[in-house]
Amino acid sequence: TAAELRPQNGGGGTPGIGDCQMLLNQLKEITGIQDSAFLHAALKAANGDLMEAVAFLTEEHAQAPARDTAAAEPSKWEGSAVGKQLPPAPRVPPLTRGEQNLLRGCFTAGVCVFCDRPQEAHSAEYKNRSKRKRCEVWGENPKQNDWRRVGDWPVGMKNIGNTCWFSAVIQSLFQLPEFRRLVLGYSLPQTVLESCRSRTGKRNIAFMQELQCLFALMLGTRRKFVDPSAAVELLRDAFRSAEEQQQDVSEFTHKLLDWLEDAFQLAVNVKNPGDKSENPMVQLFYGTFLTEGVHEGNTFSKIETFGQYPLQVNGYCNLNECLEGAMVEGEMDEATASQSVKYGQERWFTKLPPVLTFELSRFEFNQSLGQPEKIHTKLEFPQTIYMDRYLYCSKELIQMKREEIKRLKEKMVILQQKLESKSRRQIEKPIPCCWILLHSVLEGTDTGTEDGPCFLTNSSLQPKSHLVLQACSSPAGPSERPAPHMVSEDELNLVRTCLQRWRNEIEQDVQDLKESIARITLSIEQMYCDPLLQQVPYRLHAVLVHEGQANAGHYWAFIYDQPRKRWLKYNDISVTESSWEELERDSFGGLKNASAYCLMYISDQVSCLAGSEAGQFQKEVEALPPELRHYVQEDNWRLEQEAEEWEEEQSCKIPQMEPSPASESQDLSSESGPVCEQSVRSLSSEHALIAKEQTAKAIANTAEAYEKNGVEAALCEAFHEEYSRLYLLAKETPTPQNDARLQHVLVYFLQNNAPQQVVERTLLEQFADKNLSYDERSISIMKVARAKLREIGPDDVDMEEYKRWHEDYSLFRKVSVYLLTGLELYQNRKYHEALTYLVYAYQSNTKLLLKGTSRGVSKSLIALYRRKCLLKLNEVAASLFVSCEEACVAEGIGILNELIIPCMHLMNKFEISKEDLDAIEVMRNRWCSYLGQEDMDAKLQEKLGELLPRLLDCSTEVIVLKEPPKIRPNSPYDLCSRFAAVMESIHGASAVTVK
């Protein structure tokens, strides 16, 4: 409540230090904003009233994406949002009324760090939705694998409080490609949107928009699970039950299909008003059935529509029995129209939908307890069900089959009765007198008793030559039953033979009856295995499972993944591999409180469409409408921001350490190419680290502004001054000994007319570098800069373009290092190593120069020293070759094969200059001059013959030059000093003396 949220500090005014920290934590939790400076300022503006501060912070207004414009001069730049006075930081005097108004203006106008232009309506909607759906999972588990999606593995769905029912149904529908396509492609003409006045219509459109956003995220998110809060809240309002009550899957699915049908009908009505047959939701999920029957002696026939088909579970063992019971009620036979039949009906499907959903009624009302109870009996269902036996077009054949089954069942009843009679006869005494006789003779007991063995085997009838029956010694008196006084051996054998024959006859009769019953059972089971009744197969797509009792429990879903050819278990945020055996165990029921509640089958046609190839999700993301694609990109950007915040919080828990040289540097031997999802941050952080000393100096110059006006003002001043300095530096006329681009990434950007958004964000990242933690002022500025970075989303800066600019600068530095290293090695007469660096410098530089002349270094300079290296190496190789010493000859051939020929091949790949052609011709002539020399050894002539074809025609094979050793970049000033020293050496012909 509001009273609970307000600070308990004894009244109004600014809260104390302890209360303030508590309120800041509450604000973070309520609003999701982590910037303590903004939260502190909001609290001050609200005079310590938490509710008013929340009102400031939760105003949902967005900003417009700034268009790409080249970086402006400082005078033009001063009008950008970076230079505006922002809300004061912590530890400043209480806000004046004007400052409070400014704060309110910032929050209500949604001022961006780089732009203050209005946002288009739909973009604002998607941005705000993204902010509402942020998943706070970083503190729950520090392992990235626990919150990051792996490849295109399906994502889970967050349970926001008894919403497992929503997850189970939505996941099952989302995995239907046709349904997914319909939802993501849903759109209405503007005229329809404007003319929609009903509350229901507006609600359905709003729900479709939320469902689109949810589906788009499920396709393209990098999160391991998504948050469905917005869509769930719309649905919850439509249920009669309390907000936190668990919903019934069938009730929810009915409501969902109704809303979707109504929403798509708005689009259908544009062309065919009132024609529901054109509604794609109706076409996908709804079918029709015909009911024929007799009621009170009168025949009737009617056609009805169905979406989910209800089936009563109790009393049946499998799905087909359930369906059969639902299709036939009462007494139905060929005399349906007879007045003797008072009630009976048959149902026949006349049209089956592509997606066939069976609702299993597993609840019944207990009259004595006055509450519903769950039915836990076992019900089996197949992976493929053939619907032919329930179609109206198969009516005559099915009725014949039913009559045959009815006849067989009647016959089986008779056989069962006979079997039971035989079984009883097997247990009872077949001829009492004989049993009494044998009992008396063999056991010596009272012949009148009824106790004793019921049936005697052959082993118990031992032959006796003469048996005399003694009088009964029982005091009870004379025997009640007659018995012979003497039994001869012949008489005993006769009785034994009769009993054995009777037993054999009964056993044979029982066996015959069992075999007949088994044959009839098999005939009934195979009655519908007729190929004519297996033309309409439906494959099991999803099983929705409920565990628990009627009034409480948990839902999850098993869904068959067509591309992976396996079952997956969707249990809220968890999506794991499963199997048919696990599905049976959890879904059939009878063993525990878990059982299937809803079955979703799909036709063969839909099944084929669902069997899309791997990587289909990525293709669908690329095909999304622009606003949805942008929404996904923004959410992924926010994920990275959240990850960065979490990492920052984690880093604060341990003492900061100076980064190692390896972490400061970049592997310059790797080619510029596809990078991981964190490459943008790693490259820009690398460039911020290179400029760390310059940024620190800019911060040091803001001491006065920091003391007088606070951290915000200090950041703005440092930002402005550094921008101006770099802008002027970029405009200076370069000299042969000086390349200002090596000093700072922004000089490179400015000289190449990079978009202003790219320049400004890059400079802001310089001030957000965590390596600037020198003192309280630099730490405060760093935190505020990071807070501003978090406010910049994909709307404000095109991150793909941003990444490309930083990749280009990284490649430029690599080219510069390769060139400088190659020149230094050349001047030290290390031609082997120098050539490799120069060749790679030339290749990478060519890629940059395709984008502009200022993107790379001097092409002619690299080519000049590459030629010099080649000519020097060729002279060395030729001299070694003609020395006739085996080791020297091998070394010369090695230089030719490993360096000269590959380099010539690479030179021919590019647009070759006349100077390079002349140099190649000189090298070839040198080797050709050895042909036919009389004083040259025959073996050398043979080796020369093998070398010349490759030397003269480099296009016959693909040869790649060995990569140079890894090089770590130095600080900008070290690199600049190396450049100056090398260039001075080249132009002044003096030796290079660089450490």
Side-chain angles (χ1 to χ4, degrees):
T1 63
E4 292 172 338
L5 290 175
R6 287 192 174 92
Q8 305 299 318
N9 60 353
T14 305
I17 295 176
D19 291 333
C20 184
Q21 186 58 48
M22 179 186 69
L23 292 176
L24 286 176
N25 294 336
Q26 288 180 338
L27 273 178
K28 287 182 180 180
E29 183 178 352
I30 295 170
T31 64
I33 298 173
Q34 302 299 312
D35 186 349
S36 297
F38 276 101
L39 298 178
H40 192 278
L43 270 178
K44 285 187 177 180
N47 292 323
D49 189 318
L50 184 61
M51 290 303 295
E52 188 175 351
V54 170
F56 287 159
L57 296 169
T58 55
E59 285 293 330
E60 293 187 350
H61 298 277
Q63 310 83 19
R67 299 188 177 274
D68 290 347
T69 56
E73 296 181 20
S75 59
K76 297 180 181 178
W77 169 83
E78 286 175 0
S80 72
V82 177
K84 292 182 179 179
Q85 181 65 35
L86 296 174
R91 296 183 302 277
V92 298
L95 298 177
T96 65
R97 179 59 59 185
E99 289 170 330
Q100 292 181 18
N101 293 334
L102 174 61
L103 176 65
R104 290 187 176 90
C106 288
F107 285 127
T108 56
V111 174
C112 171
V113 69
F114 288 136
C115 62
D116 54 1
R117 291 174 286 275
Q119 171 78 329
E120 295 178 7
H122 69 84
S123 298
E125 178 185 352
Y126 285 113
K127 171 174 280 193
N128 291 329
R129 184 182 293 111
S130 176
K131 290 179 180 177
R132 291 196 305 270
K133 293 184 177 182
R134 174 178 171 182
C135 293
E136 301 287 353
V137 298
W138 313 107
E140 298 172 7
N141 201 316
K143 296 180 180 178
Q144 287 202 13
N145 289 339
D146 292 329
W147 42 261
R148 281 194 184 277
R149 185 179 189 175
V150 180
D152 63 347
W153 188 258
V155 298
M157 198 169 292
K158 186 178 181 181
N159 190 327
I160 56 174
N162 291 332
T163 56
C164 50
W165 48 274
F166 181 90
S167 301
V169 174
I170 290 297
Q171 290 279 24
S172 302
L173 294 174
F174 174 80
Q175 295 302 328
L176 291 170
E178 179 61 18
F179 181 81
R180 196 164 64 235
R181 182 187 66 80
L182 288 173
V183 170
L184 291 171
Y186 179 80
S187 63
L188 288 174
Q190 189 64 31
T191 54
V192 176
L193 291 172
E194 293 173 355
S195 62
C196 183
R197 303 298 182 190
S198 69
R199 180 179 178 276
T200 301
K202 291 179 179 179
R203 179 204 62 195
N204 292 341
I205 293 173
F207 178 74
M208 279 301 303
Q209 290 174 342
E210 293 296 348
L211 197 60
Q212 281 184 319
C213 292
L214 184 61
F215 274 26
L217 280 184
M218 292 169 74
L219 277 177
T221 185
R222 293 174 188 160
R223 302 179 189 271
K224 197 171 184 178
F225 58 88
V226 295
D227 186 343
S229 301
V232 170
E233 290 307 316
L234 285 172
L235 272 170
R236 270 180 167 164
D237 293 341
F239 287 106
R240 293 187 300 274
S241 54
E243 183 178 356
E244 294 303 323
Q245 292 294 316
Q246 188 180 50
Q247 306 301 336
D248 184 271
V249 162
S250 61
E251 181 185 7
F252 163 61
T253 311
H254 281 302
K255 184 71 65 177
L256 174 67
L257 292 181
D258 286 346
W259 285 22
L260 292 174
E261 179 188 346
D262 292 344
F264 275 92
Q265 193 61 40
L266 291 173
V268 172
N269 288 341
V270 176
K271 296 182 178 179
N272 302 297
D275 186 0
K276 288 202 170 186
S277 63
E278 296 297 321
N279 191 312
M281 286 294 123
V282 172
Q283 294 172 350
L284 190 59
F285 292 103
Y286 289 84
T288 57
F289 62 87
L290 172 68
T291 303
E292 297 178 328
V294 176
H295 184 71
E296 297 295 333
N298 299 316
T299 61
F300 68 89
S301 175
K302 60 179 179 179
I303 293 181
E304 299 176 69
T305 301
F306 71 93
Q308 279 184 291
Y309 201 83
L311 296 174
Q312 183 61 44
V313 171
N314 212 7
Y316 300 104
C317 295
N318 59 62
L319 182 60
N320 276 311
E321 287 184 4
C322 279
L323 265 171
E324 191 74 30
M327 304 304 279
V328 181
E329 296 180 15
E331 295 293 331
M332 290 295 297
D333 53 26
E334 294 180 358
T336 297
S338 172
Q339 296 296 321
S340 61
V341 179
K342 291 187 177 181
Y343 174 78
Q345 66 180 26
E346 288 181 346
R347 294 186 182 91
W348 300 95
F349 290 119
T350 54
K351 179 185 176 183
L352 290 172
V355 180
L356 187 56
T357 306
F358 296 120
E359 173 193 326
L360 305 182
S361 301
R362 279 194 171 271
F363 296 115
E364 60 184 1
F365 191 79
N366 188 318
Q367 296 289 347
S368 60
L369 297 177
Q371 64 182 21
E373 285 186 338
K374 188 176 178 182
I375 301 171
H376 293 294
T377 56
K378 184 176 182 179
L379 181 79
E380 298 181 355
F381 46 86
Q383 295 194 62
T384 300
I385 185 172
Y386 295 96
M387 296 300 297
D388 308 73
R389 62 187 282 189
Y390 310 108
L391 291 175
Y392 184 76
C393 60
S394 306
K395 176 181 176 181
E396 294 182 4
L397 178 59
I398 297 302
Q399 285 182 335
M400 291 173 55
K401 298 281 186 183
R402 287 177 181 170
E403 286 297 319
E404 180 64 16
I405 290 175
K406 181 180 179 182
R407 186 184 64 78
L408 290 174
K409 285 185 176 179
E410 290 173 350
K411 183 177 179 179
M412 191 162 62
V413 169
I414 296 172
L415 293 176
Q416 285 283 8
Q417 291 173 350
K418 289 182 179 180
L419 178 61
E420 292 173 3
S421 175
K422 292 286 184 181
S423 298
R424 284 197 304 270
R425 195 174 299 170
Q426 231 179 350
I427 297 173
E428 295 172 352
K429 305 176 180 64
I431 303 178
C433 292
C434 295
W435 287 112
I436 295 170
L437 171 64
L438 288 175
H439 185 68
S440 301
V441 170
L442 300 178
E443 301 295 334
T445 59
D446 182 6
T447 57
T449 182
E450 293 186 4
D451 297 331
C454 296
F455 190 82
L456 301 176
T457 63
N458 290 339
S459 62
S460 64
L461 296 174
Q462 300 298 328
K464 298 183 179 179
S465 60
H466 185 74
L467 297 172
V468 179
L469 301 181
Q470 302 296 330
C472 180
S473 60
S474 173
S479 173
E480 297 178 0
R481 298 180 183 177
H485 295 285
M486 184 180 295
V487 179
S488 66
E489 185 176 351
D490 292 339
E491 291 171 329
L492 186 61
N493 289 335
L494 177 63
V495 172
R496 185 165 58 243
T497 302
C498 289
L499 288 175
Q500 184 62 48
R501 178 170 56 80
W502 292 338
R503 176 188 176 186
N504 292 341
E505 289 176 356
I506 292 174
E507 287 181 344
Q508 185 61 47
D509 289 346
V510 169
Q511 184 63 29
D512 291 344
L513 287 170
K514 287 182 178 178
E515 290 177 358
S516 297
I517 291 172
R519 285 195 297 271
I520 292 175
T521 302
L522 183 61
S523 297
I524 292 174
E525 290 176 352
Q526 296 182 344
M527 187 63 66
Y528 295 105
C529 293
D530 189 331
L532 294 175
L533 296 177
Q534 294 183 337
Q535 304 299 310
V536 187
Y538 272 71
R539 316 291 178 188
L540 186 62
H541 166 68
V543 180
L544 277 63
V545 180
H546 178 268
E547 182 176 28
Q549 300 302 325
N551 56 351
H554 178 61
Y555 290 100
W556 69 85
F558 291 100
I559 305 174
Y560 188 72
D561 191 290
Q562 286 283 2
R564 295 178 176 84
K565 303 299 179 188
R566 67 186 66 173
W567 287 95
L568 301 182
K569 182 178 181 179
Y570 292 75
N571 191 353
D572 286 339
I573 66 172
S574 171
V575 181
T576 56
E577 288 188 17
S578 185
S579 63
W580 176 251
E581 290 71 27
E582 183 183 1
L583 189 152
E584 284 182 328
R585 187 169 60 251
D586 287 355
S587 305
F588 282 2
L591 298 176
K592 51 183 182 178
N593 289 342
S595 54
Y597 192 82
C598 184
L599 306 176
M600 194 176 291
Y601 284 86
I602 55 178
S603 66
D604 255 11
Q605 181 181 1
V606 176
S607 179
C608 293
L609 291 174
S612 56
E613 69 276 7
Q616 181 65 26
F617 277 10
Q618 184 57 38
K619 295 179 181 178
E620 292 186 44
V621 171
E622 294 170 358
L624 286 174
E627 62 273 11
L628 286 177
R629 190 166 62 251
H630 168 79
Y631 175 61
V632 172
Q633 292 170 350
E634 184 183 49
D635 185 77
N636 287 333
W637 174 250
R638 291 188 181 280
L639 173 68
E640 300 305 327
Q641 295 294 313
E642 292 169 20
E644 187 175 350
E645 291 174 23
W646 180 83
E647 290 170 0
E648 183 180 337
E649 291 171 4
Q650 296 301 308
S651 65
C652 292
K653 297 177 182 178
I654 58 175
Q656 281 197 333
M657 300 179 64
E658 283 297 319
S660 63
S663 66
E664 292 184 14
S665 57
Q666 177 190 4
D667 181 2
L668 292 180
S669 65
S670 60
E671 285 295 320
S672 175
V675 290
C676 68
E677 58 188 20
Q678 295 184 347
S679 63
V680 179
R681 188 183 302 109
S682 63
L683 281 177
S684 58
S685 298
E686 172 73 21
H687 300 152
L689 183 63
I690 293 172
K692 180 179 69 171
E693 294 180 12
Q694 300 174 59
T695 310
K697 186 177 180 180
I699 292 175
N701 294 333
T702 63
E704 184 178 352
Y706 179 81
E707 295 299 330
K708 287 184 177 180
N709 301 315
V711 62
E712 298 281 356
L715 173 61
C716 288
E717 181 176 317
F719 190 102
H720 180 89
E721 293 300 326
E722 186 66 359
Y723 183 98
S724 300
R725 183 184 73 83
L726 294 171
Y727 185 87
L728 295 174
L729 185 61
K731 294 300 181 182
E732 289 181 1
T733 304
T735 64
Q737 288 79 22
N738 177 41
D739 189 344
R741 294 174 298 175
L742 295 173
Q743 293 187 30
H744 202 286
V745 59
L746 287 189
V747 176
Y748 181 86
F749 286 178
L750 291 167
Q751 287 189 0
N752 288 284
N753 299 317
Q756 175 131 358
Q757 296 90 338
V758 173
V759 172
E760 290 182 348
R761 181 184 175 87
T762 300
L763 185 53
L764 189 60
E765 287 200 17
Q766 313 278 318
F767 292 96
D769 183 17
K770 62 183 179 181
N771 295 290
L772 295 173
S773 305
Y774 297 122
D775 52 27
E776 182 182 356
R777 182 169 73 253
S778 59
I779 292 173
S780 299
I781 289 177
M782 176 191 71
K783 289 183 177 179
V784 173
R786 288 194 166 203
K788 292 185 181 301
L789 279 175
R790 287 193 289 270
E791 292 298 319
I792 306 173
D795 282 340
D796 310 308
V797 180
D798 183 342
M799 294 309 298
E800 288 299 321
E801 183 180 35
Y802 186 77
K803 179 180 73 173
R804 288 193 296 271
W805 276 99
H806 279 277
E807 286 174 343
D808 284 353
Y809 185 66
S810 180
L811 185 58
F812 166 75
R813 287 184 64 84
K814 180 169 71 172
V815 169
S816 300
V817 173
Y818 281 168
L819 172 60
L820 294 178
T821 307
L823 293 176
E824 290 165 356
L825 290 168
Y826 173 81
Q827 294 203 342
N828 287 296
R829 294 184 173 84
K830 296 181 179 180
Y831 306 120
H832 295 70
E833 298 91 335
L835 180 62
T836 305
Y837 285 111
L838 292 170
V839 167
Y840 268 87
Y842 190 92
Q843 283 184 280
S844 301
N845 192 56
T846 302
K847 298 176 185 177
L848 289 173
L849 293 179
L850 292 175
K851 300 181 180 181
T853 55
S854 296
R855 292 291 185 102
V857 300
S858 171
K859 180 179 179 181
S860 60
L861 180 64
I862 304 176
L864 170 63
Y865 283 90
R866 183 181 61 179
R867 286 195 302 273
K868 288 186 176 184
C869 281
L870 271 174
L871 291 170
K872 292 285 187 182
L873 283 173
N874 194 66
E875 290 178 8
V876 172
S879 300
L880 291 170
F881 183 80
V882 298
S883 67
C884 297
E885 295 182 11
E886 187 174 349
C888 293
V889 170
E891 184 180 353
I893 293 175
I895 294 173
L896 197 66
N897 285 329
E898 294 175 11
L899 291 170
I900 296 174
I901 293 177
C903 184
M904 292 168 63
H905 167 73
L906 292 174
M907 289 167 67
N908 282 319
K909 279 184 62 178
F910 299 98
E911 183 180 350
I912 192 165
S913 65
K914 182 180 183 303
E915 291 81 3
D916 284 342
L917 281 173
D918 292 341
I920 290 175
E921 193 61 29
V922 167
M923 291 187 287
R924 286 172 176 170
N925 289 337
R926 177 69 178 268
W927 290 95
C928 290
S929 66
Y930 297 141
L931 281 173
Q933 286 189 5
E934 296 180 358
D935 57 343
M936 183 172 286
D937 186 74
K939 290 183 178 180
L940 285 182
Q941 286 287 347
E942 184 179 345
K943 290 181 179 179
L944 184 62
E946 295 173 358
L947 290 172
L948 282 178
R950 295 177 56 225
L951 189 66
L952 297 174
D953 185 9
C954 298
S955 62
T956 57
E957 55 185 310
V958 176
I959 305 172
V960 178
L961 198 67
K962 185 190 300 182
E963 275 197 52
K966 295 179 180 179
I967 288 183
R968 305 295 183 185
N970 299 311
S971 73
Y973 298 111
D974 290 340
L975 197 56
C976 289
S977 64
R978 286 178 63 191
F979 182 87
V982 170
M983 293 299 116
E984 184 179 348
S985 174
I986 289 173
H987 293 90
S990 59
V992 178
T993 56
V994 177
K995 293 183 181 180

